[in-house]
């Protein structure tokens, strides 16, 4: 399973998301879209959104910290 997180350092929901993934021991790649314009463009292309966090789980896109949707896609209990 490949998990990619697009976030910014100042976003509280991004911090909640990363804490959740860490607690669930889910490996992920994080991109700071506030400093990486290429990855910011990729995030917008994938999600159609400029808001963060955006999570890409095996090509399924979740915008925002939606714990229920993430748990479903990550196959958690």
């Amino acid at each position: 399973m490949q998990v990619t997180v697009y976030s910014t350092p100042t976003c509280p929901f991004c911090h909640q998301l990363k804490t959740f993934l860490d607690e669930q021991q889910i490996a992920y790649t994080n991109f700071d879209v506030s400093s990486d314009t290429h990855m910011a463009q990729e995030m917008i292309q994938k999600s159609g959104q400029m808001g963060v966090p955006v999570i890409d789980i095996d090509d399924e896109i979740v915008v925002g910290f939606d714990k229920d949707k993430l748990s479903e896609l990550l196959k958690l209990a």
Side-chain angles (χ1 to χ4, degrees):
M1 177 178 303
Q2 184 161 348
V3 180
T4 304
V5 174
Y6 301 89
S7 67
T8 65
T10 57
C11 162
F13 295 110
C14 299
H15 289 288
Q16 289 176 11
L17 166 67
K18 290 184 267 188
T19 298
F20 171 74
L21 293 174
D22 291 341
E23 287 172 350
Q24 300 299 323
Q25 298 181 339
I26 303 292
Y28 61 93
T29 303
N30 180 69
F31 293 105
D32 177 359
V33 296
S34 70
S35 63
D36 187 333
T37 55
H38 175 74
M39 295 315 293
Q41 288 300 318
E42 180 178 293
M43 175 193 79
I44 294 165
Q45 182 181 16
K46 286 183 177 185
S47 69
Q49 301 286 322
M50 291 183 69
V52 287
V54 171
I55 307 95
D56 182 342
I57 302 171
D58 291 336
D59 296 323
E60 289 280 341
I61 302 298
V62 179
V63 178
F65 178 45
D66 183 339
K67 193 173 182 177
D68 293 336
K69 182 67 175 174
L70 292 169
S71 295
E72 176 189 326
L73 291 173
L74 295 167
K75 298 173 177 48
L76 302 174

